[in-house]
Amino acid sequence: MDETESGRTVRIYPLTRIPGRADIQILFSHNEEVEEARFRVLKSRKLENIVRGMPCSYAPLILSRSCASCGLMHALASSIAIEQACGVQVPPAAKALRELVSSLFFASTHITNMLYFMLPDYALPMSDSKVRNVFGIYNVEPEIISRIARVQSSFVKAISKVAGKSINSSFFIPGGVSTGVDEKLVSDLFLLEGLKEDLGEILNFLRTLLKGCSSVMDAGRPLRGFYFGVTDDDYPSFCGDSLTFASFSGEEKITLDKSHFISAIKNTQSEWTCAESISVGEYAPALTGALARANLGFDSASFAGAESSKCFEIWGHPFSRDSLSILAKGLEVIRAWERAIEIIKSESIVGEEVFVPFSFSQGTGCSIVESPAGVIVHEVALDDEGFIRDYRIATPLDFNYQMLNECLSNVARDVVSGIDIDDKESMRLMLCVRALNSCMV
Amino acid sequence: MMFVSTAEFTSCCGCLSSLLEVGEPLVSLLSEHSVSFSELVDFQDISPSDVTIVWGCIGDEEDERIANEVSRMSKKIIAAGSCAVYGGISARMQQLPSKERVPSSLSRFEPVDAYIPVDLYVPGCPPPGRILFEALKGTLEDYTPIHYDYTVCSECKRKCEKKHTGRWFKRNERIPVEGICFLDQGFLCMGPVTRGGCHASCTSRGAACIGCRGPSDTVLLSHLHSLYSDMLHYISISTTGKRAKPEKTLEEYIDLLYLFTLRDPVTKERPRERLPRTKEEK
């Protein structure tokens, strides 16, 4: 605890059940009331700094290692940015394979995140911190943990079959994908169809947990500001043509094309963390990620759309509590699975041509794609031999930073009763971080 | 029951994700033991542990402090992933001016054994989950996990005739033929110098090996301990044409060759090794 002229500062460190190293600072007034809570990222490698001067073909390989939670999507974003800089059009089968692998990756990442990081807050909210983890849940409810882990394993195997590796795969390359799929592989992928019942059960489990979790659900105030995501025909998409913003207060949706979105981006470097904060024009604060995408809504004719409607009936639309993020992830797993099955059935992934050879040329490229944690932007400038002159990345954390800190401050004002922060109070604050940002490395 | 723990230094958390992909066998194994500190549980205060898996390289003073504490409290330490074993991709940050590092206190980017003793190395970016899991299980149950002393080529099903023409291609220029060795077709592939165990997962899906499992035993036990030298030797003996000198070709790929090791392959003696050129030298 630090004491300054303006009051006292208490630090919660290290944060647990999150990837990366971060802390929470709580600033108290002299009469021990919470003034503000700050989420501080303590480390960010910014791998884009090391790709400058390298051949651009290395960028997807290196930048996929920026963050495991979003790795494959960084590789995709990097490949698309380079393609744009070089004027490359990717074959349809490659696009379909990219979407298939991205869908499977979303499902796998969300399940890993839910199972190991988020679930203990909801399944064991009143338990001692020593048992509040996935192993603690496994000891009392082994069936559901086994079920979730089995589903996770199915997605991981499917990614590995198509992309070689499930993490840091070299499958997405500028010009397309590294190889196609044959009929045998496609028939193997059809096994994923059998997951429907498991996915429905997992969602039911999440709904049951949330209904019984008032201590977690009631803290803080509803989120204010905007949520947004990449969209195609108004629905969330991995790399659609536009970005849709909507307000938590329920005003009409606004759709921006990509160039307007990029020109509206404004970076601010915070004095108290190494992370940058990005705002988009007048849409501030704005949230990206699973909660935002679920709020934007899935096709009502789809399984995920129908399940979303049931959830909105209970908790209202839009989801405006950080604690509903786990439900949004559950819904998105279903949507990702459903989309993967649609692609497999459409046979659009079976095609001779999955890569187009091309020459490097001087130019700039920009890509905007969705990752499990939210929107990522890659901007690249190449010289005429294909070497990288400049590279910039905007991450979901950058976009969410303002919203996350506002939410954290609200939760802190609501649950923290004094400078001696107890386990339950710190747990609730960390839940806010886990809910609104699942990647911070 | 034993005490197990994990500690993360400067990393992308890919190694943790890889281990978590093991799923139920991992949860079941760790439920039989006690997790003393980890990012998977709500207590990270470093306490006595029988086995600790560490991932990431040592990036700053805080990493060094944690590493020393972990070393003091743990009976055995497993270094998982290329960053922990070699410095990994992060090690390239060493070549950047400090103003480009975030935060600027990140300055070291060294493998873990530069600071503390390591009992078992599990390289990979990330290591396959099953290998990481076996390393953990073997250490807990006191058996020796498999040592993958063969190369990626040993697991690769592509046909190799060592008939490279001496003409080289970049991946953007042409489509590799399925089923034929990448090197035979003139694409740089690091399979001959890279540790196996990955089931050649990249080459089986149309991507040349980029060496993420680190140097093979052959490289580490060779006279020069050098990826460059061994790769050069392999290309020389498998090239039938004389169109281009392999040294010149490898110069172009030097960043790729040392993507995960920067300069120091894994032996404790810190062997002589060819350094990649710095930006200024280029």
Side-chain angles (χ1 to χ4, degrees), chain A residues 11 13-21 42-47 49-55 57-58 61-62 64-69 108 112 115-117 120-121 129-136 138-139 142 145-147 149-150 152-153 156 159-171 173-174 177-182 185 274-275 353 355-360 423 427 430 434 441, chain B residues 8-33 35 38-45 57-66 83 89-96 99-103 105-106 109 124-126 158 170-176 178 188 198 201-202 204-208 210 212 252-257 259-260 279 282:
Chain A
R11 183 187 191 209
Y13 174 79
L15 302 192
T16 60
R17 289 188 276 123
I18 58 160
R21 192 175 300 158
L42 302 175
K43 240 182 231 186
S44 172
R45 295 180 305 163
K46 297 248 174 216
L47 289 185
N49 288 337
I50 66 172
V51 300
R52 291 193 192 110
M54 284 190 184
S57 51
Y58 299 174
L61 299 174
I62 292 175
S64 66
R65 283 146 171 107
S66 299
C67 158
S69 306
S108 161
T112 304
L115 178 60
Y116 294 98
F117 297 144
D121 292 326
S129 63
K130 285 191 168 52
V131 295
R132 195 174 52 229
N133 50 57
V134 66
F135 316 111
Y138 187 73
N139 284 332
I145 297 298
S146 300
R147 191 166 209 161
R150 267 202 314 276
Q152 177 206 22
S153 179
V156 168
I159 300 170
S160 302
K161 276 181 182 172
V162 182
K165 287 165 71 173
S166 55
I167 300 168
N168 296 346
S169 162
S170 304
F171 187 64
I173 53 175
V177 293
S178 61
T179 191
V181 291
D182 57 22
L185 208 160
C274 64
E353 199 186 23
F355 171 77
V356 280
F358 66 98
S359 302
F360 295 128
D423 173 61
M427 184 204 92
M430 282 193 256
R434 290 176 200 124
V441 285
Chain B
E8 179 202 337
F9 303 124
T10 301
S11 82
C12 70
C13 300
C15 302
L16 170 64
S17 299
S18 185
L19 182 63
L20 297 183
E21 283 186 354
V22 171
E24 192 175 7
L26 175 74
V27 178
S28 171
L29 176 73
L30 293 183
S31 299
E32 292 166 15
H33 298 280
V35 180
S38 167
E39 53 267 67
L40 295 175
V41 297
D42 279 5
F43 32 98
Q44 288 206 33
D45 290 341
C57 64
I58 305 295
D60 59 7
E61 281 181 14
E62 178 70 346
D63 284 346
E64 187 185 346
R65 182 191 70 76
I66 295 170
C83 294
I89 270 187
S90 306
R92 289 194 164 265
M93 305 293 275
Q94 285 176 16
Q95 297 174 328
L96 292 176
K99 64 177 182 182
E100 289 184 30
R101 297 180 199 140
V102 185
S105 63
L106 281 176
F109 307 104
C125 188
R158 287 174 174 264
K170 296 205 163 55
R171 184 62 175 86
N172 62 296
E173 292 171 342
R174 60 158 51 190
I175 302 169
E178 289 290 332
L188 185 76
C198 57
S201 54
C202 293
S204 69
R205 296 300 299 149
I210 56 169
C212 76
E252 288 182 33
Y253 291 98
I254 211 82
D255 282 327
L256 187 62
L257 204 59
L259 205 53
F260 300 96
K279 282 189 170 179
K282 282 178 187 169

Side-chain angles (χ1 to χ4, degrees), chain B residues 177-206:
Chain B
V177 179
E178 289 290 332
I180 307 286
C181 170
F182 279 106
L183 282 162
D184 276 6
Q185 299 182 61
F187 296 100
L188 185 76
C189 175
M190 289 180 66
V193 293
T194 302
R195 185 175 302 281
C198 57
H199 297 163
S201 54
C202 293
T203 60
S204 69
R205 296 300 299 149

Side-chain angles (χ1 to χ4, degrees), chain A residues 185-259:
Chain A
L185 208 160
V186 173
S187 72
D188 287 351
L189 293 174
F190 267 106
L191 291 174
L192 288 170
E193 268 196 296
L195 293 179
K196 185 170 184 179
E197 190 189 331
D198 287 321
L199 292 170
E201 280 303 312
I202 292 169
L203 192 67
N204 281 337
F205 176 65
L206 294 178
R207 279 194 285 241
T208 308
L209 286 181
L210 282 165
K211 283 177 189 167
C213 236
S214 58
S215 63
V216 170
M217 299 289 292
D218 296 342
R221 287 166 230 171
L223 299 169
R224 60 158 208 103
F226 299 85
Y227 52 90
F228 74 101
V230 179
T231 49
D232 222 355
D233 293 334
D234 273 352
Y235 293 118
S237 162
F238 297 115
C239 44
D241 296 326
S242 50
L243 288 107
T244 301
F245 284 76
S247 160
F248 278 107
S249 58
E251 289 157 29
E252 270 197 29
K253 290 178 184 174
I254 303 118
T255 299
L256 300 181
D257 64 31
K258 287 185 174 179
S259 56

